[in-house]
Amino acid sequence: MSDRLRTITADRVGALAAGATLLGSGGGGQVALGELLLRRALPNRGVVVRPASDLPPNARVVHVGVFGAPDVLAERLIAPADMAAAARAVTEQVGGELAAVSALEIGGLNALAAVLAAYELGLPLVDGDLMGRAFPSIYKTTMAVAGHPAAPMALVGSAGDTVVIPPARPGWSRGSWTTARPPWVGWRRWPSIPRRPQSSRR
Amino acid sequence: MWRIGIDVGDTNTDAVLLDGDCVVAATSATTTADITGGIRQAVTGLTISPGFDRARVAAVMIGTTHFSKALSSGDPLAETAAIRFGLPATSAFPPLVDWPDGLRRAIGGHSYLCHGGHEFDGTQIDDFDEREFREVVDRALEAGAKSFAISSVFSPVNAEFEVRAASILSEVAPGTPISLSHEIGRMGLLGRENATIINAALREFAETVTTALIRTVAEAGISAPVFLSQNDGTLMDVDYARRYPVATFASGPTNSMRGAAFLSRQLDCAVIDVGGTTSYVGILQNGFPRGASTDVRVAGVQTNFRMPDVVSVGIGGGSHVSGDHAPRVGPDNVDYHLSERALVYGGDQLTATDLAVAAGLADIGERHRVAHLDPTFVRAALDQVALTLAELVDRMRISIDPVPVVAVGGGSILVPDHLAGASSVTRPEHFAVANAIGAAIADVGGEVDRVYSVSPGRRDRVLDSARQEAVDRAVAAGARPGSVRVVDLEEVPLAYLPGYATRVRVKAIGQLGLSGDTGE
């Protein structure tokens, strides 16, 4: 596997953005926002990419994404610091150390959001995502289909305001989504939402 | 009623005189660096045509690429302070974040963030911090800023922060040009803000240029008002252009497509415009250019103007032709030296124009100078041009049905009478000055682009009020009230949001109301 991408560097950003746009198939938000931030950040240091099988069985991995209406994101923009804060809030819920970050959604802006979060946290990025494309709701993931809960989950608004949803019972993926809705709607902010950590071998 | 339309292109300045729907005269001059020389010469060409009567001219419409060229060169730009209200949001993308280094340096690189701005529903992100803003203004002035660009998150929904900032600024630094983002761009913070900064950086230059334009027209003995073409093909008066120079940026393609529709009487077709260095293809829908759905970069800066959707290729009348058996046309070209460098004009460079003359498509210059060209080679080169243009039309076509094609521009002799994918190819009379004609026939527009709350049972009322506002804006911009109609309405519900938030865009246009105009 010598041709496998081991580090995402600045010269890979164009290809990553093009791939995310293609997998977004017209949805998934403004890829250009994430592309711009990555082009500025990655010349400093790249983001290491690791296959899930490289991680120890109980490694903590948080799936990161930004959610909200694309037209709103185009005005309110995104902040890697918020995504990192949300990832830390989720880790606090379960204890232990965060080993890596992964993508919630590979289609559209969220593919790049995961790379930004990994960069911000100085952690490796797990090669994979939970959707394989862009879907309109966070419970539409392979993990939810398999009956795994979405929580613990954390939502961070741009003023640093944070809402944490503690671990739920298995199969309660959709419930966590509907629980998450009222706070961010009430803030009228567009939070970054890392979902629960998962062990790498699940 | 007579109208004069002037197109100031990179190489040629064309002028036309229209009497109602009839082209009375057309002239062409060489564009000069200060643009007024070319305009003066072109207008003089009209005034000496038989029967010309200065007093009958009701309006002069000018389309120019002068401001976008000024931005690309960077020279005449003013030091500009870009101040945004958005904190604690948006700090990962400070103003000027995506600007090319050279351009950022040219305007001084003064970028500031303040607290405030709004959410999509008009509530505040944070309070207006007057002390913070005054400190930023002091720092900007000290750093040498001569012009101010103010933006605020969701200012198309609520412009309060920008308006309040402007009033403080005019008190602290009276007379300093101020550009506000809600008056310039649409939703989408970075694109709107960038357009505002470009506008601010061009304000001093616009002052000089508009003054020169008014003087040039007056010196030609014409006392009619002067208008400039905007990106969407509508007109603004010269005083508006003084304050919003950025609104002229994409008027070129729009004018030539509107001119093509006027000349060919085709409302739905593809337009191929072949100039001296570049060809582009756009689509007319109901007489108006189809708009681009993606953001458009100008001089490397992302903006969100509504620009016409065009594709281009580096082929024009002045393109170099190279190769022996496999000919290559463009993208190198003789620039504005066609009349010296082309073979038919006694030069030493084989150009696309020479091919057209050799093939008998055009009769310009001295034909015997291209008599030595191998007819097979000429044919192959012209076929290659035709193939490239047909591919451009194909890329723009959104139906399997062949489209009618209208060819305009000085180089459109290169477009063959039969083109793959085209149901017909028309080269209307006056094709070389379609641009100037597009400027002359332009209308006045009004636009609304905002997020509305469309609660159940209220949709009609909301849309009516948006329509009315667009119509009112067109009238305020100078349209004759009875002539205004809504030409475009788009409503997009915003995903995931409560309160039935819907983005509504309406565009209305009407005929320019002119003195001595009795209407129809």
Side-chain angles (χ1 to χ4, degrees), chain B residues 120-155:
Chain B
F120 75 92
D121 62 355
T123 56
Q124 285 187 6
I125 293 176
D126 205 345
D127 294 333
F128 193 105
D129 184 343
E130 190 166 330
R131 215 180 65 179
E132 179 188 47
F133 179 67
R134 284 179 184 271
E135 276 172 19
V136 162
V137 171
D138 287 347
R139 266 159 54 207
L141 289 169
E142 223 164 84
K146 300 276 187 296
S147 185
F148 282 81
I150 310 288
S151 56
S152 175
V153 175
F154 274 113
S155 64

Side-chain angles (χ1 to χ4, degrees), chain B residues 256-274 280-282 284 393 403-409 412 415-416 419 422-429 431 434:
Chain B
S256 83
M257 278 194 264
R258 296 266 294 138
F262 176 86
L263 291 171
S264 66
R265 316 231 167 251
Q266 303 241 37
L267 295 179
D268 296 281
C269 60
V271 176
I272 303 181
D273 184 317
V274 187
Y280 66 83
V281 173
L284 279 169
V393 173
V403 284
V405 168
V406 176
V408 294
S412 60
V415 183
L419 204 60
S423 56
S424 63
V425 176
T426 317
R427 197 174 302 103
E429 208 188 343
F431 62 86

Side-chain angles (χ1 to χ4, degrees), chain B residues 227 444 478-481 483 510-515 517:
Chain B
F227 297 87
V444 179
R480 206 175 58 237
S483 71
Q511 291 159 7
L512 186 63
L514 293 167
S515 52
D517 187 358

Side-chain angles (χ1 to χ4, degrees), chain A residues 156-181:
Chain A
V156 173
S158 53
D161 27 8
T162 305
V163 168
V164 174
I165 298 165
R169 67 173 164 80
W172 200 237
S173 186
R174 175 143 198 180
S176 300
W177 158 247
T178 41
T179 311
R181 241 179 119 103

Side-chain angles (χ1 to χ4, degrees), chain A residues 53-118:
Chain A
S53 55
D54 267 16
L55 296 171
N58 290 316
R60 303 279 185 218
V61 178
V62 174
H63 290 84
V64 183
V66 180
F67 81 148
D71 278 353
V72 173
L73 287 172
E75 276 288 325
R76 296 282 267 96
L77 312 181
I78 58 170
D82 295 346
M83 297 183 242
R88 287 191 198 100
V90 169
T91 315
E92 264 172 39
Q93 280 292 303
V94 289
E97 283 221 353
L98 193 53
V101 170
S102 189
L104 182 65
E105 178 182 35
I106 199 65
L109 173 62
N110 273 335
L112 287 77
V115 187
L116 283 165

Side-chain angles (χ1 to χ4, degrees), chain B residues 248-304:
Chain B
T248 63
F249 269 41
S251 61
T254 308
N255 278 347
S256 83
M257 278 194 264
R258 296 266 294 138
F262 176 86
L263 291 171
S264 66
R265 316 231 167 251
Q266 303 241 37
L267 295 179
D268 296 281
C269 60
V271 176
I272 303 181
D273 184 317
V274 187
T277 59
T278 314
S279 299
Y280 66 83
V281 173
I283 299 288
L284 279 169
Q285 288 174 331
N286 197 21
F288 286 87
R290 185 173 81 204
S293 57
T294 51
D295 286 345
V296 181
R297 281 181 183 274
V298 291
V301 178
Q302 178 221 325
T303 64
N304 62 4

Side-chain angles (χ1 to χ4, degrees), chain B residues 63 79 109 144 169 271 284 365 388 399 428 508:
Chain B
E79 285 217 20
L169 251 176
V271 176
L284 279 169
T388 308
S399 150

